Amino acid sequence: MYGPAECPNCDKAKSLFDRQQPAMQYTKIDIEQGDENHRHITEDLGYAQAPVIVVKLASGRTVHWGGHRQDMLTALVRLCTKGIVPEDRKAAS
């Protein structure tokens, strides 16, 4: 997770991850205007809003998004805590 040192949306994401049992593992990378990490998320990844969440999946694929996306955070928690549940199995539950 990339974001400035003072980042309310980063704090919300961290709190969500910390509430899981067991707590989800993550790394918070503080960024400052113009530093290498800031250039990476703005120039390489194309984001202008924090936090920028970068997830490397077991398949080796990397997904990322910028901004406080509760839908994406919830999906990430579900993936990390329960695995992927096919839609047809969910409907049968």
Side-chain angles (χ1 to χ4, degrees):
M1 171 185 333
Y2 293 86
E6 298 297 320
C7 175
N9 287 333
C10 299
D11 293 341
K12 289 177 189 176
K14 291 188 314 186
S15 177
L16 176 66
F17 297 156
D18 292 342
R19 286 194 310 263
Q20 304 312 304
Q21 295 299 323
M24 290 175 54
Q25 299 297 309
Y26 62 89
T27 301
K28 167 67 169 39
I29 299 171
D30 290 337
I31 60 170
E32 291 187 29
Q33 183 76 29
D35 73 8
E36 181 180 342
N37 290 318
H38 182 261
R39 287 191 308 275
H40 171 65
I41 64 168
T42 57
E43 296 171 12
D44 299 337
L45 300 180
Y47 295 108
Q49 189 176 23
V52 173
I53 308 286
V54 180
V55 181
K56 185 162 187 174
L57 302 173
S59 67
R61 181 175 173 221
T62 300
V63 295
H64 45 81
W65 66 90
H68 184 71
R69 294 275 314 269
Q70 190 63 43
D71 59 331
M72 295 294 286
L73 292 170
T74 301
L76 178 60
V77 166
R78 188 177 310 119
L79 174 66
C80 291
T81 60
K82 297 180 172 85
I84 297 174
V85 179
E87 288 299 318
D88 57 335
R89 267 192 44 206
K90 277 177 54 177
S93 299

